[in-house]
Amino acid sequence: MDRTEKKALVASLAAVFAETSMVVVTRNNGLTVADVTDLRRKVRAAGANYKVAKNRLATLALDGTQFSGIAPLLTGPTALAWADEPVSVAKVIVEFAKTNDKLELLGGSLGSQVLDVAGIRALAELPSLDTLRAQLVGLISTPATRIASVVQAPAGQLARVFGAYAKTGEAA
């Protein structure tokens, strides 16, 4: 890599760090090309990105961003995963690390909050944004349906009473 390519890489990483909300740092302890390709495919399907970058260049790109706290994690063969939706990238990386022991989770950052491995795993256990939205809609609509059934119940009871009177009047 020549100097201009390095500057371009640092600039592109700095732009990514300025726009994203979550960065996860992993260590590659001998992943095969097929494993990395599979991981990249899963990460991309979750709406995130996964990139192996030189630690020195990534550290330069982190300077002055909200993610500068993860710079000490960038030692050895590391890779960065990032996304705007934090739960999705954490879920994919944690699930892949469970099935492949050659991918080591080092930590990450959610905004300016630096997370350790336990923090990333806790984040991965949260439901996705779509699931949370569905739960919220369910919570909002449940009281409305209960109110509607309570309001309709007296009218239904009156209708049954009138129906019973009508039947007794026909029988007489």
Side-chain angles (χ1 to χ4, degrees), residues 32-107:
T32 64
V33 173
D35 290 337
V36 172
T37 302
D38 183 40
L39 176 59
R40 286 180 199 268
R41 191 174 293 122
K42 289 178 181 179
V43 168
R44 198 174 305 117
N49 294 304
Y50 182 81
K51 182 163 185 71
V52 176
K54 292 188 180 246
N55 293 334
R56 179 69 184 136
L57 299 179
T59 304
L60 287 173
L62 286 170
D63 285 341
T65 66
Q66 61 184 346
F67 301 110
S68 60
I70 63 171
L73 299 175
L74 299 175
T75 57
T78 58
L80 303 170
W82 65 86
D84 290 330
E85 209 260 292
V87 176
S88 64
V89 69
K91 278 184 191 252
V92 170
I93 297 294
V94 168
E95 287 300 316
F96 192 85
K98 283 181 185 176
T99 60
N100 194 330
D101 60 344
K102 292 182 180 179
L103 181 73
E104 180 184 354
L105 185 60
L106 297 178

Side-chain angles (χ1 to χ4, degrees), residues 1-17 51-62 80 82:
M1 236 185 202
D2 66 353
R3 182 169 272 183
T4 57
E5 290 175 332
K6 289 178 182 179
K7 284 183 181 180
L9 179 64
V10 169
S12 69
L13 282 175
V16 164
F17 295 143
K51 182 163 185 71
V52 176
K54 292 188 180 246
N55 293 334
R56 179 69 184 136
L57 299 179
T59 304
L60 287 173
L62 286 170
L80 303 170
W82 65 86

